[in-house]
């Protein structure tokens, strides 16, 4: 684990040595550090673990799909298509660089995370 700062950013970095020459890097970057950041970061990193081959084969990866905005679509209605159980709207907005409440134009393309 390490902490670094540059300009107005603070970074928390964790490295985990994998098999062979593999190294896994976790990076948390923020411009507004909070008191609980370190504990949350350590907790998240500690969830990392290897899975056996059978478990790996049973996982179906998510992918980015392109969807076209239709008349009447909003960020809220499009976010319902996201393949996540939670924070769909927040994820949709972030993925597409859209501000909450920003109107979408029919025909415009947006990214959706799909199975």
């Amino acid at each position: 684990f390490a902490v670094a700062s540059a300009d107005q950013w603070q970074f928390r970095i964790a490295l985990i040595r994998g098999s062979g020459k593999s190294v896994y890097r976790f990076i948390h970057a923020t411009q507004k550090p909070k008191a609980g950041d370190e504990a949350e970061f350590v907790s998240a990193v500690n969830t990392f673990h290897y899975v056996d081959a059978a478990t790996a084969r049973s996982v179906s990866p998510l992918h980015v799909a392109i969807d076209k905005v239709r008349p009447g679509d909003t960020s809220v209605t499009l976010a319902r298509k996201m393949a996540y159980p939670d924070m769909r709207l927040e994820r949709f907005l972030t993925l597409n660089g859209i501000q909450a409440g920003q109107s979408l134009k029919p025909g415009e393309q947006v990214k959706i995370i799909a199975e």
Side-chain angles (χ1 to χ4, degrees), residues 54-80:
T55 302
R57 283 190 301 273
S58 72
V59 175
S60 58
L62 300 177
H63 66 276
V64 177
I66 304 299
D67 202 358
K68 197 174 276 189
V69 176
R70 291 163 189 75
D73 277 343
T74 65
S75 294
V76 172
T77 61
L78 291 167
R80 290 183 190 135

Side-chain angles (χ1 to χ4, degrees), residues 12-33:
R12 296 189 186 285
I13 304 159
L15 301 174
I16 297 176
R17 180 176 292 159
S19 60
K21 294 183 179 183
S22 297
V23 175
Y24 300 92
R25 292 180 291 183
F26 295 84
I27 300 172
H28 172 261
T30 184
Q31 288 183 304
K32 298 178 182 178

